[in-house]
Every structure is written in C-alpha cells, then in structure tokens.
Amino acid sequence: MAIVTRFPPSPTGYLHLGGARTALFNYLLARKHGGRFILRIEDTDQARSTPEMTEAILEGMRWLGLEWDDGPYFQSERTALYNEYVDKLLETGHAYYCDCAPEAVEAMRERARAAGLKPKYDGRCRERGLGPGPGRVVRFKTPQSGKVVFEDMVKGTIAWDVTELDDFIVRRADGSPIYQLAVVVDDALMGVTHVLRGDDHQSNTPKQILLYQALDFPLPRFGHVPMILGPDKKKLSKRHGAMSVMAYKDMGFLPEAMVNYLARLGWAHGDDEIFCREELIAKFSVEGLGRSPSVFDLQKLTWVNSHHLKNATVERLTPPFVEQLALLGIRDPDEAFVRQVIPLYQPRAKTLREMAEAARSFFLPTEALSYDTKAIAAHLTSAARQHLQALSTRLATLEDFSIPSLEAAVGEYLNTVGQPFKAIAQPLRVALTGTTVSPGLFETMAVLGKARVLERLKCAIHLYPEEVSRGS
RNA sequence: GUCCCCAUCGUCUAGUGGCCCAGGACACCGGCCUCUCACGCCGGCAACAGGGGUUCAAAUCCCCUUGGGGACGCCA
C-alpha cells in the first residue's frame, strides 16, 4: 500500500520552524516511499483564519521546496461533507445534542479543577435525547471505560484511559465542524496512512482514534515528534524563532540549509550532518526520529548554511545574492560581474547577507567607496603610497589582468625594489576596498578589472586621513 | 491540579547489554597554513540527572525520585 502523508497547517499564523519541520518530515516520508504528500488548510476556525496567512504558508512551503502532490484542500469548503459524518455519528448513537451554555460548561470545569480533578464536561445531556435546535452543539459520546492504546511511530506504545476524556464537541452551534472531526474525516477520506505531527497533538490522538472507530474508518499510523524549544528550553515563541521561515530567507539563509538543519533537529542518521535533498529522501526513516524535545540553535543553522553556501554553484547563488544586494541598496548590478564576485565570498561568508555586506565595496563606484580612517592611518603611509604609485604605473601598462599575470607583474615590482609582498599587501587592500579585510588581492584585482583598480589606486594615493575624518 | 510524553557534552546527536573510563557535529580554546579575513587541517575542553534493582556484564532493561515538555477550548 502506498504511503500517504499530509501537512495540515491552520492559516492563523506564518509557517514557523516547528510547522516547517513537521511538513518536511511528512514530505520526506512520502518521497522516500514513492507515496503522496497532501497539503490541507485547516481553516475551520473562520474567525482566526485569513487568506493572507494561507498565502504566507504556501510561500514558505515553496521556498523550502516542499512540493505537495495534492491540494491545497480547504476545510472551510468541506463543511457539508463533515456534517454528513456528524449526522452519521448522531444516527448510530455515537453523538448527541447538547444545549449547555458555554459558561455552564466552564463552571463545571472550574469545579473539577478546584477539586483536583481533570476539567471535563460532565455529560449531562447524554441521555436527554435532545434534537437539533439553536444554540445546540453536537458532542461525541466518549466510551465510559476502557483504554485507547496505539503504537506511536516515534514513541512506541501509548495508552490513554478514556476516563481522561470527556464528551468533546464535534459540531459547533453554528453548524461548523470542530477540528477533531474534520481531521479524522479528511484523513480517512483522503487515504492518509501516516500521521506525523507535533507532540502537542498527542492528546488529540485518543479522541481521534475513537472517532475513527465510531465512523468505521481504518486507522492510520500515528507518530508524534517532540517540540522544538527555544534557547531557554521553553516552547518556541516569537522571541526565539517562531517567526516565519521567510524571515530566515531575509537573514540570508539558503532553503537547502534550512531543510538540512531542520531535518537534523530531532532526527539523525548516524554521524551524518550535511545532506542534500536527495540524500534526505534516501536516508530518512521514522526510526531515526528522536523522542525528546530539541533546542533550536541558530549557530548550527549558520554553520550548515555556510557549508551549503560554499558548495553551491554560482548560478544557484546569483538570484538570492542579487536580492541581498538590493536590500543594501545596490540595484541592478551587472550580472556577469556578480557572477565573478560570488566565488570570492563563498568561503568567507556564512550567510548571503554577510556575503552581500562584505562584497558591497565591489559594487560601489570609486567615488562612493568609504575608506576606513583607521585603515588609512595604519597602512597608507607615505612609503606605502609611493609603492602604490609605482605599482599603479606598472599596472597601467599591463594588458592581461588575469591572476597569474597580476602575480607576475607585482612580483617583478617587488623584486626590483627588494621588498616582500607583506610590505604592500595591506596598503593595496585598503586602497582597493577601503578596508583591511577582503578576498585575496590578486583575485580581487582580477575581478575588479583594470579600470577600477587604477581608479581606486589613484583615489587612495591622494587620500588623507584628515580629509576623510572631516568628510564623514 | 490531573493526565500523557521525555531525560547522553552548553547545543544537535551516535549508541538498541559486552566493540563505550562513551563517538561525531556546532560553539568555545589552542596550533598550523597565510597578503588581511575566511576556508581547510591538527589538537583541546566537555555528557550517560540521582537513587535503587535485574545481570557475569547497563548509557542501554525495570522501579522510584528529580527535572523538562505537552495537553486538558463551541483553537488547531
């Protein structure tokens, strides 16, 4: 039997790290076995669901490359279907109408809580034989004794005493279905075979199993993956990383790094750390899922990202790099030039953002270059300026601005003046980039090109520390 | 409060009774490389929550304690 998994976000918020990871695991499980991965939008809560959030979730899914085979389905469009099954529950005596006011039920719960018991609805309408009517909800008639036992794919045997459960609502007074009912009907009708979801749903599973049984649906396999925690080991919140995965895109993370890192949070395959999508699909298995919560670690994500950055092709990096440049105010850079700059920074940056910031000086016209005053004071000494002047004269006559040719030209100059490369390296670097940090000088010059190099040398040679500090 | 789940370095984790006085990775600290910064390489620091069992043998199995997480909605 083919495996069918699903990801059912509710459009009441962005696609955050936890949701993204759950989606990823379901995606991987389906892909691994050549099954289907369904996307279903759980918007039965009309008040809190918005089309904007739906779109934001889809955007996140697309960015991460979590392609779904089916959907998105919208539960809000399937109300009639759910009601067929609520009616069936009513007909078979598995559910009943209840006219208790919400406040009355809350009072019951409060009383139970005060008595040190589990807050529950007491089932007073169970045998009243009420029919439909305004203000009446439909409740599921939970068995009064027995246990619900299931084999969790990640945690093993889990058992619940049904007395822990109460007669939960399956249809609101306004006629709309409740989550528990809608998921069960959808999962059953859509043929979902494996339900991998967050730990926070574990307590819903017994209720849902009861519904499956009452509705005579075959049971899927359930698996509950532990939550992702913040650095303080508390549930991830806005302060940590419960923000949209798209925020990580803006921070300069690659989706493949995100996927790699998320997969490793709560899942392992021996000592392996770096995976591409294909490897994840090939190596993923529920056996590798951990049972304990894991703390989100931005530093490790950053490291994983730097790895993918280093190994990516220039073509792959060009579009997102250009986007990052745009965020820094550098618009429409020459694409051929961009492609030359990228390799210089791939091993030097951990994120695309860092990369763009570091490479910024490459894209500025000479007159807009900002020279670091300390760097000028330290390295553009009069002796250094003389070297730069002499070097500039030589380079002006150099036809071939390739790395070997530049190395030879500079080498010759150093030979004639009897100086080591160190003597001019930092001055040259400051002159070309305005700072003391940059990629290798020869590659920098080669990429910058003859015109820019001569222009910047000239500019730097005539630059005085006093002027710069006055000017800025 | 009640119930469910969980428990190996600071963090992510390997480990399914002997291969473990516990391995890898991030971070951190040294060193090498070197035109700066990175990358890379080499080395270091650092954990089986505690207590009882079971066993010839336990990080691995059982129990208790402690700690953590989750759930108790006409939210999903």
Side-chain angles (χ1 to χ4, degrees):
Chain A
M1 183 175 68
I3 280 185
V4 179
T5 65
R6 72 338 183 240
F7 176 56
S10 88
T12 53
Y14 293 99
L15 179 64
H16 54 82
L17 292 174
R21 189 187 60 162
T22 301
L24 173 62
F25 286 158
N26 280 284
Y27 164 88
L28 292 175
L29 185 59
R31 286 287 171 277
K32 158 106 184 190
H33 297 98
R36 273 169 46 222
F37 174 54
I38 299 173
L39 178 62
R40 186 174 67 223
I41 305 300
E42 311 226 315
D43 54 354
T44 51
D45 184 353
Q46 300 279 17
R48 298 197 307 151
S49 302
T50 68
E52 290 71 33
M53 284 303 128
T54 297
E55 192 36 58
I57 289 167
L58 298 188
E59 185 189 19
M61 295 282 289
R62 288 191 205 102
W63 180 61
L64 291 172
L66 302 179
E67 303 167 324
W68 53 93
D69 305 301
D70 217 353
Y73 290 98
F74 290 87
Q75 290 192 324
S76 57
E77 296 168 357
R78 299 161 64 86
T79 306
L81 182 65
Y82 304 130
N83 275 325
E84 277 179 36
Y85 288 90
V86 173
D87 292 341
K88 190 171 169 190
L89 246 22
L90 250 9
E91 284 160 23
T92 56
H94 286 291
Y96 60 91
Y97 282 95
C98 163
D99 66 357
C100 294
E103 304 75 49
V105 177
E106 187 41 46
M108 274 174 230
R109 295 206 169 96
E110 214 29 71
R111 245 172 281 133
R113 232 185 295 263
L117 300 171
K118 192 141 201 153
K120 298 197 304 187
Y121 167 69
D122 66 9
R124 63 180 57 178
C125 294
R126 253 188 177 234
E127 310 302 339
R128 289 175 65 200
L130 254 31
R136 292 180 183 179
V137 299
V138 175
R139 288 183 182 276
F140 179 71
K141 197 179 279 184
T142 299
Q144 301 199 284
S145 66
K147 278 182 185 301
V148 176
V149 182
F150 64 98
E151 267 318 296
D152 191 281
M153 286 185 279
V154 351
K155 306 205 182 193
T157 308
I158 294 179
W160 280 75
D161 198 308
V162 294
T163 55
E164 289 299 321
L165 277 23
D166 66 357
D167 288 352
F168 55 94
I169 294 175
V170 290
R171 181 160 73 202
R172 298 186 182 91
D174 68 3
S176 63
I178 282 284
Y179 164 75
Q180 311 288 6
L181 189 277
V183 233
V184 169
V185 170
D186 278 341
D187 285 344
L189 266 38
M190 292 176 186
V192 171
T193 59
H194 296 249
V195 174
L196 249 191
R197 67 210 331 189
D199 231 353
D200 48 344
H201 281 289
Q202 195 170 305
S203 56
N204 286 326
T205 304
K207 298 180 194 174
Q208 293 172 14
I209 287 176
L210 256 18
L211 282 174
Y212 272 96
Q213 292 168 341
L215 257 13
D216 210 21
F217 286 142
L219 279 167
R221 299 263 281 131
F222 291 97
H224 295 93
V225 313
M227 306 275 82
I228 297 178
L229 275 27
D232 56 359
K233 302 211 174 189
K234 294 272 192 267
K235 194 179 180 180
L236 217 48
S237 71
K238 283 57 72 184
R239 338 182 11 88
H240 312 121
M243 46 181 160
S244 168
V245 291
M246 296 311 282
Y248 291 90
K249 179 192 181 196
D250 294 340
M251 286 188 267
F253 290 100
L254 252 13
E256 48 269 49
M258 211 65 210
V259 163
N260 186 161
Y261 175 73
L262 250 19
R264 278 287 290 104
L265 239 203
W267 175 82
H269 183 271
D271 286 337
D272 299 348
E273 295 286 354
I274 299 297
F275 302 84
C276 64
R277 177 172 308 255
E278 291 65 39
E279 287 169 328
L280 282 176
I281 291 170
K283 294 176 174 173
F284 183 78
S285 77
V286 292
E287 284 72 42
L289 289 171
R291 300 112 303 180
S292 49
S294 30
V295 174
F296 176 74
D297 182 6
L298 188 63
Q299 285 189 310
K300 185 143 187 184
L301 199 216
T302 305
W303 173 78
V304 171
N305 196 62
S306 73
H307 191 95
H308 285 271
L309 212 50
K310 222 173 304 163
N311 288 11
T313 63
V314 170
E315 286 63 39
R316 160 73 189 96
L317 260 23
T318 301
F321 179 67
V322 168
E323 279 183 49
Q324 286 293 334
L325 284 178
L327 291 177
L328 296 179
I330 296 162
R331 309 259 163 203
D332 304 312
D334 180 71
E335 288 250 338
F337 184 53
V338 167
R339 280 196 287 274
Q340 285 187 282
V341 173
I342 287 174
L344 302 197
Y345 284 96
Q346 276 180 270
R348 299 186 156 73
K350 295 188 186 307
T351 65
L352 284 160
R353 201 221 273 287
E354 256 184 46
M355 208 165 142
E357 282 166 352
R360 197 160 181 274
S361 74
F362 274 79
F363 297 91
L364 296 173
T366 303
E367 60 273 20
L369 254 189
S370 60
Y371 286 85
D372 177 46
T373 38
K374 275 193 196 128
I376 293 173
H379 301 289
L380 291 189
T381 59
S382 57
R385 288 177 203 234
Q386 280 171 28
H387 283 307
L388 293 182
Q389 181 60 63
L391 196 57
S392 175
T393 308
R394 286 200 170 221
L395 294 180
T397 66
L398 191 65
E399 301 271 310
D400 178 8
F401 244 61
S402 67
I403 292 175
S405 166
L406 283 161
E407 274 174 341
V410 173
E412 268 172 44
Y413 171 72
L414 291 171
N415 265 335
T416 61
V417 294
Q419 289 284 336
F421 186 48
K422 265 189 192 294
I424 62 156
Q426 283 304 74
L428 226 197
R429 174 165 283 113
V430 173
L432 294 173
T433 66
T435 72
T436 55
V437 175
S438 85
L441 284 168
F442 298 108
E443 30 183 7
T444 297
M445 287 192 279
V447 169
L448 239 23
K450 188 171 177 177
R452 281 197 196 80
V453 167
L454 294 179
E455 209 174 76
R456 293 184 180 198
L457 282 176
K458 185 179 174 190
C459 175
I461 289 164
H462 299 98
L463 209 55
Y464 288 95
E466 301 79 42
E467 286 180 351
V468 174
S469 45
R470 224 188 308 127
S472 59

